[in-house]
Amino acid sequence: MATASGPEANMRTNVTIEKPFVYGSAAIALNKAEITGPNTHRWTVYVRGLQNEDLSTYISKVSFQLHESFKDPIRGGRDDVGCLWG
């Protein structure tokens, strides 16, 4: 009888994990002195746990699709789990 050893011994297949999370956005209007170009707001989009817990154990990549008028309208990646700022 063969047995698994190493990291594979602890891996399970066909497992479903449910983890609630929150996603959304927030924007703050810039005052006239802060406006240096076409941007009129400072904004943040986010994905976070319900109690702000680290979700990197469950989520490896986050992508946000912005309006096509934005430069690089698809933002995110493996290093951006959590928040993106603009």
Side-chain angles (χ1 to χ4, degrees):
M1 171 185 230
T3 60
S5 62
E8 296 84 15
N10 294 325
M11 295 180 71
R12 299 185 189 268
T13 59
N14 298 323
V15 174
T16 300
I17 297 173
E18 292 185 20
K19 183 68 175 168
F21 62 92
V22 177
Y23 68 94
S25 64
I28 298 172
L30 301 174
N31 63 43
K32 288 185 180 185
E34 294 176 303
I35 297 174
T36 59
N39 300 328
T40 59
H41 291 72
R42 180 175 296 117
W43 56 268
T44 302
V45 292
Y46 56 86
V47 175
R48 61 176 175 80
L50 292 178
Q51 303 298 320
N52 287 324
E53 66 268 28
D54 180 13
L55 294 178
S56 62
T57 300
Y58 307 99
I59 301 173
S60 62
K61 181 179 178 181
V62 174
S63 296
F64 289 94
Q65 183 171 347
L66 306 176
H67 189 270
E68 65 267 2
S69 63
F70 282 87
K71 179 182 177 187
D72 302 321
I74 298 177
R75 310 274 178 97
R78 295 191 186 282
D79 296 330
D80 292 321
V81 174
C83 288
L84 299 172
W85 297 269

